[in-house]
Amino acid sequence: MSYSSEAQVDEAFNTVSDTFKSNVTKPLEWRIKQLRKTWWMLEDNRERIVTALNQDLNKHRQETLPVDVAGVQSACLEALAHIKEWTKDEKPRQTDPFNLFGGARIRKEPKGVALIISAWNYPFMELFEPMLSAIAAGCTAILKPSELAPASEKLIAEIVPKYLDQSAIRVVTAGPKQMNYLLERKWHHIFFTGSTAVGKIIYAKAAPNLTTVTLELGGRGPAIVTPSADIDLAAKRIANAKFMNAGQICVGVNHVFVDPSVKQKFIAALSKYFDEYRSGQSRQPAYATRIVNERHYKRLDNLLEKTQGKIVYGGDRNPETRFFGPTVVDGVTTDDSLLSEELFGPILPILDATLEEAINYTVKHDHPLALYGFTSSQAEKDKILRLTSSGGVCFNDAILHMLVKDAPFGGVGASGMGAYHGPFGFKEFTHLRTVVNVPAWLELLLKVRYAPYTNKKAVA
Ligand code: NAD
């Protein structure tokens, strides 16, 4: 698909900027209509979304529908159900004279014109969920899908204009080179989903205009398996997180720390479940998601070639189809190639580590987006929470914490800033504006503030 020209970017930007200034996006009716239309856009195009993701990633409909269609529709319904409550003025809790007599309140105002940039691994969800937040907040927006999922990008560019208000919500297409021009516009908010490296570029580009940013960045989430865990279930769930989308998930499991006393049992269980998910050992199932492109395939291939660890499961891969079988590598040490960057793929490095060693390694590195503890001990869970930091935490499973309704989803430190989902997404696109109206009669109390300052007037 060809990229938007600078003239097209200008036209789109000027249009959504003018629309924001015209105030048409502020009434609730406009927002509700766009939210409803988004739901229908997904409903009417669900099979085309399945097909697009199948073309881009060989993703199976069973992986696509719950996330890129039903997941976004559910977010639409949540926004529709709560928009009145989210947008309502709030009263400050304290009862000082300004609150009591000045009618102090906090207005929820749209930040303005937003740029939403997404990644390719869940290209509809990562673009449309923040868009719903922007719409609910009353912003206008330009959507920039990832160029690495071209069938999805093309479909997004086709359907958005058919369903949504074109004066307020536009799609532009761009690769990394064209992003400079887009990022030089004066945005009121940028919502970015992608790698930590590009997140830093976005942050720097936002700085000259003092544009606020939400950065949903890279993962590198560890799993820690202690002897107290249900080892079979831990393996079943971790294997699932690596198999789904070929491990190309920001909240996937990057590497596993396993206590040596349970390691062999854990690896045997992992192998059993990977066999099951593949419908038999060494199968390249037709339903397996492939690696997104040749560059990422070669990146994973190189990391695996360089590892000092031992492949104990899988390792089979095919550069022609970009199928990369789930691959378990044992005996990985902390200086191994497999720990040099976020894997974002189906390789699972296993490190021998006690809980303390796992925590020590984790706290010495960037805060991950997600952290997974597999343990039945409350004391161990408390220890993990007390001593580490991460965007989110899930005990005894992976990924599921991001499904919690009304809870923030986002990173911390190198895994991002800001959060979304439900009211938290709404807040990212909202300016909280404090308003107070000071009555004349409050002079009775306020008169002490005026000069000349005398002892008689001293208040403190
Ligand atoms: P990426 O950072 O390469 O690209 C993301 C977006 O940025 C794309 O739209 C791309 O066109 C744009 N981009 C790329 N280079 C750019 C540049 N130099 N200047 C400006 N824009 C540029 O990431 P990706 O490969 O699309 O996605 C994988 C990464 O995203 C992983 O690190 C993954 O963990 C992360 N991710 C995070 C989340 C989350 O919610 N935290 C979700 C999905 C993916």
Side-chain angles (χ1 to χ4, degrees):
M1 179 160 183
S2 60
Y3 295 136
S4 304
S5 65
E6 291 186 359
Q8 286 167 324
V9 169
D10 284 343
E11 191 274 328
F13 180 79
N14 292 336
T15 302
V16 300
S17 298
D18 290 347
T19 301
F20 182 70
K21 284 184 209 139
S22 76
N23 292 320
V24 299
T25 62
K26 289 184 181 167
L28 275 192
E29 296 73 45
W30 182 88
R31 307 184 200 189
I32 288 169
K33 187 172 174 190
Q34 302 309 309
L35 293 172
R36 286 194 180 135
K37 287 197 161 194
T38 305
W39 192 93
W40 280 108
M41 176 173 75
L42 295 157
E43 186 66 10
D44 294 347
N45 292 285
R46 52 193 287 139
E47 290 308 320
R48 298 186 71 197
I49 292 172
V50 167
T51 306
L53 273 168
N54 192 264
Q55 284 171 8
D56 285 333
L57 291 161
N58 198 45
K59 205 187 286 212
H60 191 269
R61 60 188 295 112
Q62 220 157 302
E63 288 196 11
T64 295
L65 288 174
V67 184
D68 280 286
V69 179
V72 188
Q73 284 183 311
S74 156
C76 276
L77 297 179
E78 196 194 356
L80 282 165
H82 297 289
I83 190 164
K84 285 199 179 125
E85 165 204 330
W86 293 347
T87 51
K88 220 171 55 194
D89 287 359
E90 275 176 37
K91 286 217 146 279
R93 270 183 294 132
Q94 292 289 336
T95 51
D96 66 31
F98 295 110
N99 299 6
L100 277 181
F101 308 122
R105 63 202 165 99
I106 303 159
R107 272 170 66 86
K108 318 286 181 55
E109 300 200 342
K111 281 188 179 171
V113 183
L115 172 63
I116 301 173
I117 306 164
S118 74
W120 48 265
N121 57 336
Y122 292 96
F124 295 88
M125 186 266 278
E126 288 160 3
L127 201 64
F128 291 149
E129 272 214 42
M131 179 194 78
L132 294 174
S133 303
I135 290 172
C139 291
T140 60
I142 287 192
L143 314 178
K144 207 304 278 180
S146 170
E147 73 286 5
L148 298 191
S152 302
E153 182 194 39
K154 188 161 176 257
L155 184 58
I156 288 164
E158 182 201 316
I159 60 180
V160 169
K162 286 187 183 156
Y163 285 80
L164 301 181
D165 180 349
Q166 268 302 273
S167 72
I169 311 288
R170 286 291 187 92
V171 179
V172 303
T173 52
K177 275 195 196 135
Q178 295 73 30
M179 285 303 289
N180 267 343
Y181 190 74
L182 198 57
L183 289 167
E184 275 159 13
R185 308 306 94 201
K186 193 168 181 189
W187 305 98
H188 298 117
H189 190 75
I190 300 177
F191 190 110
F192 171 80
T193 301
S195 60
T196 300
V198 177
K200 289 179 186 174
I201 296 174
I202 304 292
Y203 200 12
K205 293 274 182 192
N209 289 321
L210 297 176
T211 297
T212 54
V213 293
T214 308
L215 301 175
E216 298 285 341
L217 306 180
R220 292 205 86 199
I224 303 173
V225 181
T226 79
S228 75
D230 177 335
I231 300 300
D232 190 77
L233 191 60
K236 184 182 190 181
R237 293 176 172 180
I238 291 171
N240 178 56
K242 266 294 176 198
F243 186 82
M244 263 169 52
N245 217 30
Q248 299 168 117
I249 307 178
C250 58
V251 281
V253 175
N254 192 67
H255 50 280
V256 190
F257 296 105
V258 195
D259 191 278
S261 65
V262 290
K263 188 176 76 173
Q264 289 317 323
K265 189 175 170 193
F266 176 70
I267 290 175
L270 273 179
S271 307
K272 175 180 77 175
Y273 286 113
F274 277 134
D275 278 356
E276 205 173 299
Y277 301 157
R278 298 170 67 145
S279 307
Q281 203 179 9
S282 304
R283 289 279 302 276
Q284 297 193 0
Y287 52 78
T289 302
R290 66 170 167 255
I291 302 305
V292 64
N293 61 16
E294 197 183 331
R295 175 168 65 85
H296 281 289
Y297 180 92
K298 281 192 177 148
R299 179 182 64 79
L300 290 165
D301 193 58
N302 275 337
L303 291 171
L304 198 56
E305 287 298 318
K306 282 195 225 141
T307 183
Q308 299 296 307
K310 182 172 172 228
I311 297 175
V312 290
Y313 183 88
D316 53 317
R317 51 202 188 273
N318 181 345
E320 305 292 314
T321 60
R322 298 200 304 277
F323 170 82
F324 208 114
T327 299
V328 181
V329 185
D330 186 20
V332 172
T333 51
T334 52
D335 55 357
D336 196 85
S337 60
L338 294 179
L339 288 200
S340 62
E341 59 182 83
E342 179 187 9
L343 286 170
F344 216 61
I347 305 171
L348 187 60
I350 308 278
L351 290 92
D352 284 18
T354 60
L355 176 60
E356 287 68 29
E357 287 165 341
I359 289 174
N360 283 343
Y361 176 86
T362 304
V363 297
K364 277 191 198 140
H365 292 79
D366 288 338
H367 297 324
L369 184 60
L371 191 148
Y372 301 117
F374 288 83
T375 164
S376 63
S377 151
Q378 189 55 45
E380 288 182 342
K381 289 177 198 165
D382 291 343
K383 190 169 187 174
I384 290 172
L385 289 179
R386 197 173 61 247
L387 298 179
T388 66
S389 179
S390 64
V393 175
C394 180
F395 287 116
N396 296 313
D397 211 318
I399 303 173
L400 295 188
H401 63 291
M402 73 176 290
L403 302 183
V404 181
K405 288 245 182 292
D406 264 16
F409 174 73
V412 56
S415 54
M417 65 176 69
Y420 71 133
H421 290 184
F424 296 93
F426 171 82
K427 279 184 194 143
E428 292 294 294
F429 291 92
T430 298
H431 168 58
L432 300 177
R433 191 178 186 195
T434 299
V435 182
V436 69
N437 178 23
V438 187
W441 63 263
L442 213 56
E443 280 302 277
L444 282 173
L445 299 175
L446 295 177
K447 62 187 176 191
V448 291
R449 69 185 155 158
Y450 302 116
Y453 305 127
T454 62
N455 284 345
K456 209 172 144 201
K457 283 185 180 173
V459 286

